[in-house]
């Protein structure tokens, strides 16, 4: 009985240690939208959408993507897209922005979740199963691993895509979104990917 109790205790201790190690490895992340105000080496000074000033250090191997305008005609069956939407009473999502993922990012953050573009907004990353012209805009059905959503895309909805780029995009005055800046133990922020609007584009997602 004593041996069994000791074994159980040891197992619990090991599980607790594994759980602690996993949580320690995964730094919390922060989503940042704003305007680049300064670039000092790898450190960005950003005025956030909320009006605060933050500094974010880019990793040495940071991935930089330009966010560029494209058209709804580029959203085709089989496209992998992200829809920033607002829930409608009938259960559909009314798009307020659509971004088209490059093929090598297919499957990124797949699914449906709350989003913070505005109050009550949502994000659906999914594959386009069907697209049909409707009276209010384009009607799109998107499918992800756990389900599907019907989306109405009004004619004036911003449509953008990501293009792999480099640090030349990262300059004062450009608008950016960082989906997940890691918050370090000392409170500093670090990003391994930044998405920068090209030619004055504000990333709409």
């Amino acid at each position: 009985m004593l041996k069994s109790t000791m074994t159980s205790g040891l197992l619990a201790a090991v599980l607790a240690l594994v759980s602690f190690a996993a949580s320690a490895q995964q730094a919390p992340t922060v989503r940042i939208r704003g305007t680049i105000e300064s670039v000092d080496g790898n450190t960005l000074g950003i005025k956030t959408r909320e009006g605060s000033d933050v500094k974010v250090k880019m990793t040495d191997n940071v991935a930089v993507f330009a966010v560029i305008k494209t058209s709804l005609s580029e959203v085709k069956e089989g496209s992998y897209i992200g829809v920033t939407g607002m829930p409608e009473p009938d259960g559909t999502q009314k798009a307020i922005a659509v971004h088209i993922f490059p093929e090598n990012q297919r499957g990124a953050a797949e699914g449906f979740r709350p989003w913070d573009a505005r109050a009550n907004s949502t994000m659906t990353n999914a594959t386009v199963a069907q697209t049909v012209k409707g009276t209010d805009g384009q009607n799109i059905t998107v499918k992800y691993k756990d389900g599907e959503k019907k989306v109405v895309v009004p004619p004036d909805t911003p449509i953008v895509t990501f293009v792999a780029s480099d640090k030349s995009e990262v300059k004062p005055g450009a608008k950016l979104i960082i989906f997940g800046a890691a918050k370090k133990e000392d409170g500093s922020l670090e990003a391994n990917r930044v998405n920068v609007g090209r030619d004055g584009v504000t990333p709409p997602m």
Side-chain angles (χ1 to χ4, degrees), residues 6 32 44 57 65 67 77 92-93 100 109 111 130 136 152:
M6 285 175 66
I32 299 169
L44 304 180
K57 183 183 178 187
F65 286 87
V67 180
E77 289 182 21
T92 62
Q93 297 290 314
I100 306 171
Q130 186 181 42
D136 300 328
V152 177

Side-chain angles (χ1 to χ4, degrees), residues 168-180:
S168 65
E169 300 279 355
V170 182
K171 51 197 173 189
K175 310 285 187 184
L176 93 171
I177 180 169
I178 299 172
F179 291 119

Side-chain angles (χ1 to χ4, degrees), residues 4-204:
S4 172
T5 304
M6 285 175 66
T7 304
S8 299
L10 183 62
L11 181 61
V14 169
L15 288 173
L17 187 62
V18 169
S19 174
F20 173 78
S23 64
Q25 286 173 351
Q26 199 144 21
T29 59
V30 181
R31 193 173 299 126
I32 299 169
R33 299 176 178 83
T35 304
I36 300 171
E37 295 211 309
S38 64
V39 182
D40 181 8
N42 273 1
T43 301
L44 304 180
I46 300 168
K47 175 74 78 174
T48 70
R49 177 181 70 172
E50 293 75 25
S52 59
D53 294 304
V54 299
K55 292 202 178 296
V56 178
K57 183 183 178 187
M58 298 182 290
T59 58
D60 290 336
N61 62 344
V62 66
V64 178
F65 286 87
V67 180
I68 64 171
K69 285 183 180 177
T70 187
S71 65
L72 188 55
S73 62
E74 294 301 312
V75 177
K76 304 180 172 80
E77 289 182 21
S79 297
Y80 188 72
I81 65 173
V83 177
T84 310
M86 296 298 294
E88 295 286 279
D90 63 0
T92 62
Q93 297 290 314
K94 183 177 182 180
I96 56 176
V98 174
H99 59 273
I100 306 171
F101 286 97
E103 188 55 35
N104 63 2
Q105 291 178 28
R106 178 176 293 276
E110 184 178 3
F112 173 78
R113 62 190 66 83
W115 197 243
D116 61 350
R118 60 176 74 163
N120 302 318
S121 63
T122 63
M123 177 62 75
T124 311
N125 287 356
T127 301
V128 177
Q130 186 181 42
T131 174
V132 181
K133 210 166 193 67
T135 52
D136 300 328
Q138 201 82 353
N139 295 326
I140 296 176
T141 302
V142 295
K143 293 193 174 183
Y144 49 95
K145 56 192 172 194
D146 298 323
E148 66 176 48
K149 291 290 175 191
K150 298 201 178 298
V151 179
V152 177
V153 186
D156 58 349
T157 304
I159 315 291
V160 298
T161 190
F162 298 111
V163 176
S165 189
D166 55 42
K167 288 183 182 176
S168 65
E169 300 279 355
V170 182
K171 51 197 173 189
K175 310 285 187 184
L176 93 171
I177 180 169
I178 299 172
F179 291 119
K183 191 167 188 178
K184 302 294 189 179
E185 286 185 6
D186 63 2
S188 64
L189 296 169
E190 185 177 73
N192 59 12
R193 170 174 172 161
V194 296
N195 309 279
V196 185
R198 181 181 287 176
D199 298 329
V201 169
T202 298

